[in-house]
Amino acid sequence: ARALSVLVAIRDAIIKTPFDEDTRSLLSLCLSSVLWITSKQCRAESTQVLDATYYIPHEIKELNVWQSFSQKVQRLAKAKAQQVFRETRCVISTQSATDLSEIPSESIDYIFTDPPYGAKYQYGQLNLLWEAWLGMDRSWYANELVVADHRDMGWANWRKVFFEASKEMYRVLKSGRWLTLCYH
């Protein structure tokens, strides 16, 4: 209850304080980075949680939420101060690969993609904690590329959606250029 109260106070301050959008995004990043380690999932022997699962260990470690958040803010501020900005023509996108209509055909030099591994991880469920805390739009969840029988999303759907994404990536990639596809 103590940790939850502090997390809510930090989130509310980020939302209600008239920060510019860049500052709000950076503070939200810091908040999201301490959610797991300040939850009951933090194991007593370390500040780590088990990947890709919701698990509450037998023995938990309660960390000071404000101190954890403050340390993240300080580290990020230090990194930002050391960052060298230069003009670039690089675009990083997190949109659905099944609809790249905003990108002209044969205009991309390189694509790196790491598609979901079928039924291995339920990313939408695993993202719920962060997305709920940050008030993010979860409409993407209905079109998630996973195999989840309880959601009527089987392997046939996975293959169909992956094929559509592959066609779009091929369309936007320049002739003779490269795509790196990491899979399992």
Side-chain angles (χ1 to χ4, degrees), residues 141-153:
Y141 182 70
N143 299 314
E144 180 183 20
L145 179 59
V146 293
V147 174
D149 293 333
H150 66 283
R151 294 173 56 197
D152 293 325
M153 299 171 92

Side-chain angles (χ1 to χ4, degrees), residues 12 27 31 50 64 67 87 100 126 129 147 184:
D12 288 350
L27 290 172
L31 174 63
L50 293 178
N64 181 309
Q67 184 178 46
E87 197 166 317
L100 301 175
L126 294 170
L129 178 68
V147 174
H184 206 40

Side-chain angles (χ1 to χ4, degrees), residues 9 47 59 64 80 83 114 116 141 147 149 171:
T47 57
E59 292 183 41
N64 181 309
K80 288 276 296 171
Q83 187 176 13
D114 187 4
Y141 182 70
V147 174
D149 293 333
R171 179 187 67 77

Side-chain angles (χ1 to χ4, degrees), residues 39-95:
S39 75
K40 288 185 177 182
Q41 294 189 62
C42 186
R43 294 182 284 174
E45 66 273 8
S46 70
T47 57
Q48 296 180 333
V49 296
L50 293 178
D51 283 342
T53 186
Y54 287 114
Y55 168 77
I56 298 177
H58 294 291
E59 292 183 41
I60 63 171
K61 177 190 289 186
E62 184 176 1
L63 298 176
N64 181 309
V65 176
W66 180 250
Q67 184 178 46
S68 298
F69 176 75
S70 296
Q71 288 171 349
K72 292 288 183 181
V73 170
Q74 289 169 9
R75 280 190 230 132
L76 185 62
K78 184 178 178 182
K80 288 276 296 171
Q82 295 174 353
Q83 187 176 13
V84 176
F85 291 97
R86 61 180 179 185
E87 197 166 317
T88 181
R89 294 178 42 176
C90 179
V91 175
I92 298 173
S93 171
T94 56
Q95 70 201 49

Side-chain angles (χ1 to χ4, degrees), residues 10-19 24:
I10 292 170
R11 186 198 59 197
D12 288 350
I14 292 170
I15 292 169
K16 293 175 182 172
T17 305
F19 294 118
R24 186 181 321 288

Side-chain angles (χ1 to χ4, degrees), residues 72-164:
K72 292 288 183 181
V73 170
Q74 289 169 9
R75 280 190 230 132
L76 185 62
K78 184 178 178 182
K80 288 276 296 171
Q82 295 174 353
Q83 187 176 13
V84 176
F85 291 97
R86 61 180 179 185
E87 197 166 317
T88 181
R89 294 178 42 176
C90 179
V91 175
I92 298 173
S93 171
T94 56
Q95 70 201 49
S96 172
T98 61
D99 180 15
L100 301 175
S101 57
E102 296 294 317
I103 302 173
S105 296
E106 297 186 30
S107 63
I108 302 296
D109 292 311
Y110 177 69
I111 296 173
F112 176 92
T113 186
D114 187 4
Y117 304 145
K120 185 164 181 155
Y121 295 114
Q122 299 300 307
Y123 292 101
Q125 292 173 0
L126 294 170
N127 282 344
L128 179 61
L129 178 68
W130 288 283
E131 291 176 356
W133 269 94
L134 299 174
M136 297 176 80
D137 178 8
R138 289 196 38 88
S139 61
W140 67 270
Y141 182 70
N143 299 314
E144 180 183 20
L145 179 59
V146 293
V147 174
D149 293 333
H150 66 283
R151 294 173 56 197
D152 293 325
M153 299 171 92
W155 281 106
N157 179 68
W158 192 96
R159 283 188 296 273
K160 177 182 166 273
V161 174
F162 187 78
F163 180 72
E164 291 301 315

